[in-house]
Amino acid sequence: MQFKYPELLWALFLLLIPIIIHLFQLRRFKKTPFTNVKFLKKVVVESRRSKALKKWLLLFTRLALLAAIVLAFAQPFFAKKEALKQKEAVIYLDDSFSMQMKSEGTSLLQNAVQQLIQSVPKSQKFTLFTNTRTFRNTQIEDLQNDLLALAYSGKQLSLDDIYLKAHSLFSSDGTTEKNLIVVSDFQETMYSGEVDSLGPINRHFVELRPQTMENIAIDSVFFRSFNDDHLNLTVSLSSTTEIESTPVSLYNDQVLTAKSSAKFNTDKKGEVSFTIPASEVFKGTLEITDNGLSYDNRLYFNIDEKEKIKVLEIGPKNDSFLHRIYTEDEFELTAVTLNALNYGDIEKQHLVVLNELPGIPSPLTASLKAFIEDGGHLAIIPAGDADVNSYNLLTSSFGAAFGEVNRGRKNITHISFEHPLFRNVFEKTISNFQYPTSSVHYKLRSKASAALAFQDNEPFLVAGEGFYLFASPLSADYSNFQNAPLIVPTFYNIGTNSLKIPQLYYVLGRPAHIDVPINLTQDGVLKVEKENYELIPLQELLTHRVSMTFNDELMEDGIYGITDGKQIIGHLSFNHDRNESDLGYLNVGDIVGVNHSTSLPSLFQSMENDNRVTELWKWFAILALILLMVEILIQKLFK
């Protein structure tokens, strides 16, 4: 038993007063003559016994009464040691898209909000944060409207991120008891297997699970094939359960243009194809309907009029292998000899290819340096007997150089599959392919990474920021690289990287770089707009184009218009990442050091029981009243 005011217990010394009064009563006896003494002696003995009993009963009753009053004022109580500490609570509420799954007819997020409103004590102050918002030092009544209006977020924090955020929200006071409450469905993507320790912070996980695990998602859309008249658009879907088919609708700017059924295989993957006109600007929306998550039931894409990528080839002859790669539907290839070159045409290009020039004249070097500084891209294929010094005067501007020439046949065996030039080109890592060869090669020195390399790991193709250097000539006299399958993705990606034409769609939260071919004034700026939303992205003004960069500024999916002033000059489509569509969940019980619960009411009830303080002062006050009544009865019964 503990006391709220233990200093009042000193008043128990007052119990000595009734003891002194009862034990040291001094009375004077008055003598009265009486004739018959025998009967009187008997009465006196009985009277003395009765008075002695009354005396001791009153003594004990008054001692108990006074002690009960003192203890009542000292306010005794029973409580655990933790209940006496000052409490801090930080609550993480998962508002990611996976919380759209339903339980008992409502979404997991709505259930969590209702449980919070009903379970959190009204007087308790706490801090709550979601994947995107933070509410510090608030009470549930002040937060209720914000919780009810909480929207789903495309961002999901990992357990490491949750711990780091929570640690920053707790105070540095070491005497308080800190409780972190994590309310989530705990998808597998949240946990990597190892998380940082929170030290003395108590962790409480409230695990919310849907009634069913059924969900169908539109994963991606891509071109299967295309020609001058139409495009064959393929839509990829996935399901968490085995199904036969599901209907898919295709809209063009909110107008239904086609509807078909996607067939699923035993791997729970499905596909459906649509044919759309090749020459038409298309603002597409794909839609399905299911009872699972709703955020992945819609996918946006757009097809604008393509700007052709301008490629200038400077070589000793006009005809080369590049004509077979840079076709007229996507590229505008101009091939000229060095003598016929108009230097003013260089700044109008997106990519310049120096194809086996014996040497690079100084005027061309100056023009190409200015071209690269203005955001242009340059690919250099050396000649077999190149003037290395003239080459290095140009390549030194971006920290690269051609070294000594080596003669002897070597295989090109290494592909850097993670290099930006080949990323997403190959479906799987290839270790057995027909190796191209080269009989003459220069030693390349550059800080940039090698996209292709020889069998001895010497670089064959170095790709840096805006430049590409080949170590060997590519003509048939020196190499068979022109006949290798690898040449097409290599030069095609070199060309497409020189002007980042908008893709069918981008994923929100991932970095995106888009080039818009437009000549803006010095003070001009491009914006992206959607309904009542407007954003000025990070952009760089270059010659004949504007390079825009997106990171995580956009939060809402849809088709955005690129505007110059009030004029729409293009479109961009953004979709949420589909990483939450796969309904895989953690076994929270396997995480060490966590208190596991399945509902907020049970958790707060358990915490309330642990923090309960049982006050006893009322019982001591009642006892004092009872003892007072007992004393009155003693006074009445013993006369």
Side-chain angles (χ1 to χ4, degrees):
M1 187 169 63
Q2 303 174 32
F3 296 90
K4 188 174 182 180
Y5 304 108
E7 61 274 9
L8 293 180
L9 295 178
W10 289 102
L12 291 176
F13 284 108
L14 296 176
L15 296 178
L16 295 174
I17 296 176
I19 294 175
I20 294 173
I21 293 174
H22 281 74
L23 294 182
F24 297 98
Q25 282 186 340
L26 300 174
R27 294 183 179 181
R28 291 184 179 183
F29 297 96
K30 184 180 179 181
K31 294 182 179 181
T32 303
F34 200 80
T35 55
N36 194 343
V37 180
K38 183 179 180 180
F39 178 74
L40 180 60
K41 285 183 178 180
K42 182 178 179 181
V43 172
V44 169
V45 171
E46 292 179 355
S47 177
R48 285 180 178 176
R49 289 176 180 174
S50 176
K51 288 182 178 180
L53 179 60
K54 178 181 178 182
K55 174 181 177 182
W56 288 107
L57 287 176
L58 287 175
L59 174 61
F60 290 128
T61 301
R62 289 169 179 170
L63 288 174
L65 173 61
L66 186 57
I69 293 174
V70 172
L71 291 175
F73 277 100
Q75 295 193 18
F77 61 90
F78 288 118
K80 295 181 179 179
K81 185 178 181 180
E82 292 77 10
L84 304 180
K85 290 185 177 181
Q86 190 75 19
K87 304 295 187 302
E88 288 186 60
V90 173
I91 302 174
Y92 164 72
L93 177 60
D94 187 0
D95 59 348
S96 63
F97 284 126
S98 64
M99 296 289 282
Q100 290 177 343
M101 292 297 290
K102 293 183 179 180
S103 176
E104 300 180 357
T106 57
S107 69
L108 297 180
L109 180 60
Q110 291 173 335
N111 284 337
V113 169
Q114 292 297 331
Q115 290 182 20
L116 276 172
I117 293 173
Q118 296 171 5
S119 304
V120 177
K122 294 183 179 181
S123 60
Q124 180 177 350
K125 286 197 172 184
F126 60 93
T127 296
L128 183 142
F129 70 99
T130 67
N131 293 307
T132 56
R133 304 181 65 185
T134 301
F135 305 92
R136 295 175 180 267
N137 198 26
T138 185
Q139 291 179 303
I140 194 62
E141 288 184 344
D142 301 329
L143 193 59
Q144 181 172 333
N145 292 335
D146 291 310
L147 290 177
L148 292 173
L150 200 61
Y152 295 99
S153 168
K155 183 179 180 181
Q156 185 183 57
L157 298 179
S158 66
L159 284 181
D160 272 329
D161 295 332
I162 293 171
Y163 287 178
L164 185 63
K165 177 74 172 178
H167 196 275
S168 67
L169 294 174
F170 283 112
S171 71
S172 57
D173 189 354
T175 63
T176 61
E177 180 182 349
K178 299 176 175 61
N179 293 289
L180 170 62
I181 302 172
V182 180
V183 185
S184 175
D185 57 352
F186 295 98
Q187 284 200 314
E188 290 178 347
T189 53
M190 296 177 62
Y191 185 52
S192 60
E194 294 292 335
V195 292
D196 293 334
S197 173
L198 282 176
I201 298 176
N202 302 319
R203 293 174 290 168
H204 308 274
F205 282 8
V206 181
E207 181 183 17
L208 305 179
R209 290 292 162 85
Q211 285 180 319
T212 62
M213 300 294 183
E214 299 177 1
N215 182 56
I216 306 173
I218 303 177
D219 290 335
S220 62
V221 59
F222 56 93
F223 290 131
R224 177 75 71 182
S225 62
F226 51 87
N227 55 39
D228 293 337
D229 298 326
H230 64 269
L231 306 171
N232 187 2
L233 199 69
T234 299
V235 184
S236 176
L237 301 94
S238 63
S239 174
T240 58
T241 57
E242 293 185 0
I243 60 173
E244 292 184 1
S245 63
T246 189
V248 182
S249 301
L250 173 63
Y251 294 85
N252 182 11
D253 200 13
Q254 300 182 352
V255 177
L256 180 64
T257 59
K259 192 168 186 177
S260 185
S261 182
K263 305 295 183 181
F264 285 77
N265 57 27
T266 55
D267 294 330
K268 304 174 187 176
K269 301 294 183 181
E271 277 192 359
V272 62
S273 296
F274 296 97
T275 300
I276 60 178
S279 58
E280 182 180 340
V281 175
F282 203 93
K283 295 195 291 183
T285 304
L286 293 160
E287 283 190 3
I288 61 172
T289 302
D290 75 331
N291 295 322
L293 301 174
S294 59
Y295 89 98
D296 55 13
N297 292 347
R298 186 178 292 104
L299 188 142
Y300 300 94
F301 69 95
N302 69 278
I303 303 171
D304 284 343
E305 293 182 5
K306 279 192 175 181
E307 176 75 13
K308 291 186 178 181
I309 300 173
K310 297 178 180 179
V311 180
L312 175 63
E313 178 193 4
I314 307 173
K317 53 186 178 179
N318 293 332
D319 187 23
S320 73
F321 64 93
L322 293 180
H323 287 277
R324 300 191 298 271
I325 301 174
Y326 296 142
T327 56
E328 293 182 357
D329 57 336
E330 293 185 77
F331 298 90
E332 185 180 312
L333 175 62
T334 303
V336 298
T337 62
L338 185 59
N339 293 332
L341 174 64
N342 181 358
Y343 286 86
D345 292 337
I346 292 179
E347 65 175 16
K348 302 175 184 178
Q349 309 302 313
H350 301 121
L351 170 66
V352 173
V353 180
L354 302 184
N355 191 0
E356 300 191 24
L357 290 179
I360 304 176
S362 297
L364 180 57
T365 298
S367 297
L368 290 175
K369 284 184 178 181
F371 172 71
I372 294 173
E373 289 176 359
D374 200 34
H377 287 236
L378 173 66
I380 300 178
I381 305 170
D385 52 353
D387 180 2
V388 174
N389 292 330
S390 66
Y391 273 67
N392 289 339
L393 288 175
L394 173 60
T395 59
S396 62
S397 61
F398 40 82
F402 286 88
E404 64 276 7
V405 63
N406 296 303
R407 302 187 184 273
R409 188 169 299 277
K410 293 172 67 174
N411 292 333
I412 303 166
T413 60
H414 298 292
I415 303 174
S416 179
F417 295 98
E418 294 302 319
H419 195 282
L421 191 63
F422 294 118
R423 192 175 297 157
N424 301 324
V425 172
F426 302 94
E427 292 184 357
K428 59 181 180 179
T429 300
I430 300 173
S431 58
N432 183 17
F433 64 97
Q434 185 178 0
Y435 300 132
T437 62
S438 175
S439 59
V440 174
H441 58 278
Y442 295 87
K443 187 176 182 62
L444 293 178
R445 294 188 294 271
S446 174
K447 294 181 180 179
S449 57
L452 297 172
F454 290 109
Q455 60 196 46
D456 57 359
N457 290 322
E458 286 290 326
F460 171 75
L461 170 59
V462 169
E465 186 65 32
F467 69 91
Y468 306 89
L469 304 180
F470 287 86
S472 302
L474 301 185
S475 57
D477 295 336
Y478 301 99
S479 173
N480 64 352
F481 189 76
Q482 289 188 26
N483 299 322
L486 197 57
I487 192 172
V488 176
T490 299
F491 275 93
Y492 182 83
N493 287 340
I494 288 175
T496 54
N497 286 346
S498 64
L499 178 65
K500 296 178 177 64
I501 297 175
Q503 303 173 9
L504 279 176
Y505 66 90
Y506 297 88
V507 177
L508 291 169
R510 297 181 187 175
H513 305 279
I514 299 103
D515 288 339
V516 181
I518 185 175
N519 291 314
L520 285 181
T521 61
Q522 189 67 30
D523 298 328
V525 65
L526 295 182
K527 303 177 183 178
V528 291
E529 298 179 353
K530 176 178 173 290
E531 297 173 354
N532 297 325
Y533 180 81
E534 181 180 274
L535 171 71
I536 300 177
L538 181 65
Q539 53 195 276
E540 182 181 5
L541 182 61
L542 303 172
T543 303
H544 307 304
R545 72 180 187 270
V546 176
S547 178
M548 296 193 300
T549 301
F550 296 87
N551 291 306
D552 55 359
E553 300 89 352
L554 297 175
M555 303 298 294
E556 186 177 343
D557 59 351
I559 300 176
Y560 292 79
I562 305 174
T563 61
D564 177 18
K566 295 183 178 180
Q567 180 183 3
I568 297 178
I569 60 174
H571 297 87
L572 295 173
S573 296
F574 287 89
N575 293 287
H576 292 290
D577 199 326
R578 267 38 181 178
N579 58 358
E580 295 189 59
S581 298
D582 185 11
L583 302 178
Y585 297 102
L586 292 172
N587 186 356
V588 179
D590 293 340
I591 302 178
V592 180
V594 171
N595 300 318
H596 177 220
S597 180
T598 56
S599 70
L600 280 165
S602 61
L603 172 63
F604 278 97
Q605 184 62 46
S606 174
M607 294 176 67
E608 183 179 351
N609 293 337
D610 293 339
N611 297 326
R612 180 173 294 172
V613 176
T614 305
E615 296 183 343
L616 303 175
W617 69 270
K618 294 180 181 179
W619 295 105
F620 281 97
I622 293 173
L623 178 62
L625 292 175
I626 294 174
L627 291 172
L628 181 61
M629 295 176 63
V630 169
E631 181 177 352
I632 295 173
L633 289 175
I634 292 174
Q635 295 285 6
K636 294 288 186 181
L637 294 176
F638 295 91
K639 295 186 179 180

